[in-house]
Structures are given as structure tokens and as C-alpha cells.
Amino acid sequence: MAGDLFGDMDVEYATTVADRAIRSMSQQSVPVTPGNFSVWFDYAMGTSPALRKTIDVLIGNKRKFDASINRELYATFVKPQSEAEADFPEQLRNVISSAREFLATAISDNRTQIEALGQVASEVTSQVTSQVQTNSDPRLIIEKLVAELARATTRAAALETNFLATTQELDNIRDSLKAAEERSNTDALTGLANRRLMDAFFRSAQIAAMEKDEPLSILMIDIDHFKKFNDTYGHQVGDQVLRLVAKVLQDHVWESGLAARYGGEELIAVLPGANLAACTEVAERIRLRISEARLTRRTTGQAITSITVSIGVAQFRLAESAEAMIERCDRSLYQAKRSGRNRTVTENDIEGENAAA
Ligand code: GH3
Ligand code: MG
Ligand code: MG
């Protein structure tokens, strides 16, 4: 892990882990380069369950650790980890959680104290009542004590009310943090997930796909001649169209998947469980639905030319990074544009290359 790079790891332990890493690397014929070594050191340490799982699946499938897989492993599991560590909202949330826990404990301690004081008070009062005939001094003292205790109890109760208000405040902070985090994960125009969330989502979808041994595919949509559409009808009408396309996409993505706005007018759907054929089918349904949509200008009710989209489809390959897969999907999309638009093209149809390699 990047965070351990200069840490105070016990020398003997580090050497053992390094030995294990190098042994595994030599078993899998992985060249001992700095990048590969950090991958396999992590693997030997077991710090990242996702990395462990991925490598175990690759070994289980007798996959050769060639340069491309090694690069992907590094890019996917070693490099981004330091970014994940800097997850500020997460840290803040944890701080708030512990503050809240602390307050809850304080309140409960406070209650116990009040009860204890109350008990002492009633014990003392009954003693006083039995002694009252013989000596009146202790009674006075004890009455004072009882009054003092009553005041303490009131103070404690006020303190508790304060604590509760503070807790409520912390709850509010936590809620607004959560809302802020959601906003930072959502695209304001379309309401879809943004690229940031999509990247994180893809990472976990990728692990889940390997664990369940299930396919995982993505489709990427780009509106055809959208620039011309904007020029003709104005940017605002363009925005409405973009929202419509986002809505159609969202309607076709199942519970375990994710629809996201990847760029300006480029949208992506991540479809866990779908192979290339299933994903293509979904893409075609989306494409047809959009081309059949009747658009009218909101202000005048006037009809607008229909729009079309081009779609690229790609299926996840073991251990590859999101970037690699999206890049392949993007090339499929480009091919769809080149071969006339308003169509779906898969990675298997990319011209001039062996997509299955
Ligand atoms: P094609 O994809 O068919 O090759 O042609 P295009 O005209 O759509 O070309 P391209 O995809 O390169 O153009 C992107 C255009 O999308 C440019 C910009 O006007 C428009 N666009 C991007 N983001 C938004 C947005 O948020 N709102 C609107 N209204 N338009 C956008
Ligand atoms: Mg575009
Ligand atoms: Mg376009």
C-alpha cells in the first residue's frame, strides 16, 4: 500500500513479506520491477482484499501475468489507493460518529450519577427520620445535603438536555454531510451519477463480477449531431433532450447497475451480470426508445425533429482497469459514429483489430 511506503514497518516482518512476494512472483513468472513488486508485496501482505481476490482468480484461471495484466493490476489496485485514503468526508463522518458515541456515554454516565445521588438522598432521609426525636442537628445538615442534591440533579438534567441538543446538532451536521456527498456524486443537470461515483461503482462491480464469476458490461451513449441540435433549437432545449436521454437510460438500468453522465453529452451504463449480447440488447432498446420519442418545444408546443444516439458496448475483461474498458467502449462508439450513427456497435465489431485478443 502506498501509505506504508515509508512507514515504520518492522524490518523482519517486511523482509518476510518481501520474500513471500518474490516467491509468488517467480512462481507466476512476473518480472520483479518496482511496479510489479508493489502489487505483489500488497498481495503478500493481504492489505487489499480486492487485489488478493483478483490475483487469486487470475492464478485459479491459470492466466499468464503478462505486461498488460501487470500494468492493469498496478493501475487498478496500487496507484489509486492513495487517492481513496484521502476520503475527507469519510474521515469527518468518523469523527462525528465517535463524538456522538462519546456524548451518548457521557449522558448515560450522567444518568447513573443522578440515580446514585437520588439513592443516597433517600437513604439519608430515612436515617434522619429515625433520629429526628433525639437530635435535630444532623437533620438540618442532611436537609441541606438533600437540597444540594436536588440542585445537582437539576443541573445534571439541564446538562443532559444540552447534550441532547448537541447530539441533535451533530445529527444535522451528519445529514448535511451526507447530502453534500450525494451532491458531489450526482450530476446536477441529469440527476445521474457523475464520473466520480461511476469510477468507484465500477471498481466494486468489477470485484463482484470476479467473485460471482459473472459477466459485467458497459454501454456508452453519445447523442448524434448534438451540436447542430443545440445550434438549431438552443442550449436549453438541448439540455431537455439530454435529460430525456438520461431518463431513458436510467429506466433501462436494473437495481444492481448504474447510469452515469460521463462527460458533456456522453452517458454510460454499468450493467452487472450482462454479457456483450445482453448489454447490446439493452443498448438497442434504449436507442429505439430515444429515436421514437416525440419531442415538442415546451414553450410553444411546436414539434422538434427527433433525435438519435449512437452506442458503444464493451464487456469487462479479467483484471482490467475501468479506463481500459471505457477506452474500448469509446472505440466501439466511435465506430458506430463512423458507420452512420443511430446504431449500436460492440467491441467485437471494432474495425481493424482483433477485439478478442
Ligand atoms: P456526433 O456525436 O454525432 O459526432 O456529433 P456531435 O455534434 O454530437 O459531436 P460531439 O459529440 O463532439 O458534440 C458534443 C456537443 O454536445 C457539443 C455541445 O454543444 C453539446 N453538449 C455537451 N454538453 C452539453 C450540455 O450539457 N447541454 C447541451 N445542451 N449541450 C451539450
Ligand atoms: Mg460527444
Ligand atoms: Mg454527439
Side-chain angles (χ1 to χ4, degrees):
M1 231 165 106
D4 290 324
L5 220 46
F6 305 104
D8 312 318
M9 192 188 271
D10 179 74
V11 175
E12 215 169 294
Y13 176 58
T15 313
T16 318
V17 176
D19 279 349
R20 272 214 308 273
I22 290 180
R23 219 173 317 124
S24 305
M25 292 174 84
S26 102
Q27 272 163 11
Q28 300 302 327
S29 313
V30 178
V32 186
T33 63
N36 289 340
F37 182 70
S38 50
V39 169
W40 287 83
F41 189 86
D42 258 17
Y43 174 75
M45 278 265 288
T47 32
S48 157
L51 169 65
R52 241 201 126 79
K53 183 86 210 169
T54 305
I55 290 189
D56 286 343
V57 171
L58 288 168
I59 294 174
N61 288 359
K62 302 209 166 17
R63 285 289 292 261
K64 197 170 169 296
F65 287 85
D66 56 21
S68 135
I69 285 206
N70 293 335
R71 224 182 353 259
E72 294 293 348
L73 285 172
Y74 180 79
T76 311
F77 296 105
V78 180
K79 206 171 49 174
Q81 223 139 39
S82 54
E83 286 159 27
E85 275 162 11
D87 191 349
F88 178 64
E90 180 67 29
Q91 283 169 354
L92 197 52
R93 251 205 317 275
N94 289 343
V95 169
I96 287 176
S97 281
S98 13
R100 213 176 169 286
E101 226 165 82
F102 168 73
L103 281 179
T105 316
I107 288 172
S108 123
D109 283 350
N110 187 29
R111 270 215 194 97
T112 320
Q113 248 167 9
I114 293 173
E115 274 163 26
L117 286 177
Q119 209 168 343
V120 172
S122 64
E123 270 171 29
V124 172
T125 313
S126 63
Q127 274 173 25
V128 170
T129 321
S130 57
Q131 283 178 9
V132 76
Q133 307 301 77
T134 51
N135 190 348
S136 64
D137 271 357
R139 187 184 167 185
L140 278 174
I141 294 166
I142 284 164
E143 264 179 1
K144 251 190 191 163
L145 176 65
V146 169
E148 205 48 59
L149 281 173
R151 264 201 296 278
T153 309
T154 315
R155 266 206 311 274
L159 201 62
E160 177 165 346
T161 313
N162 263 345
F163 272 146
L164 286 174
T166 312
T167 309
Q168 179 63 48
E169 218 167 280
L170 283 175
D171 275 345
N172 293 345
I173 293 175
R174 200 182 40 186
D175 288 351
S176 36
L177 264 180
K178 193 161 176 280
E181 196 187 353
E182 263 161 29
R183 272 200 305 278
S184 76
N185 282 333
T186 311
D187 166 55
L189 178 72
T190 60
L192 297 183
N194 61 18
R195 193 166 172 161
R196 198 179 100 107
L197 178 59
M198 200 218 70
D199 285 343
F201 180 88
F202 186 78
R203 266 171 152 289
S204 43
Q206 180 180 0
I207 303 304
M210 284 190 292
E211 268 174 356
K212 296 188 210 152
D213 194 21
E214 277 180 3
L216 167 69
S217 296
I218 58 168
L219 60 87
M220 190 189 261
I221 301 183
D222 186 291
I223 303 173
D224 295 331
H225 301 303
F226 197 39
K227 199 173 172 322
K228 188 155 165 260
F229 186 95
N230 274 318
D231 291 346
T232 313
Y233 297 101
H235 216 259
Q236 265 180 329
V237 182
D239 282 357
Q240 275 175 37
V241 164
L242 198 49
R243 274 195 218 103
L244 169 85
V245 175
K247 166 94 176 47
V248 173
L249 178 68
Q250 183 73 73
D251 287 348
H252 285 80
V253 173
W254 44 82
E255 189 80 14
S256 63
L258 186 83
R261 185 178 183 191
Y262 189 66
E265 39 111 48
E266 281 139 33
L267 310 179
I268 276 194
V270 181
L271 298 177
N275 59 17
L276 205 62
C279 190
T280 308
E281 228 180 276
V282 176
E284 277 295 271
R285 271 189 270 136
I286 293 171
R287 187 181 65 78
L288 283 174
R289 173 84 78 81
I290 292 170
S291 67
E292 284 161 3
R294 294 283 153 264
L295 310 173
T296 51
R297 234 191 190 132
R298 244 183 224 163
T299 41
T300 57
Q302 175 199 355
I304 290 173
T305 50
S306 54
I307 52 150
T308 61
V309 296
S310 299
I311 307 183
V313 178
Q315 184 174 336
F316 170 60
R317 295 178 190 173
L318 225 52
E320 77 177 335
S321 61
E323 296 75 44
M325 186 190 189
I326 288 170
E327 203 259 327
R328 217 167 46 250
C329 195
D330 201 30
R331 272 188 286 141
S332 309
L333 174 58
Y334 181 67
Q335 180 71 36
K337 292 280 182 191
R338 271 210 317 205
S339 43
R341 295 178 173 79
N342 189 21
R343 68 195 59 211
T344 300
V345 166
T346 80
E347 59 182 317
N348 286 347
D349 309 319
I350 304 176
E351 249 169 37
E353 74 176 280
N354 180 8

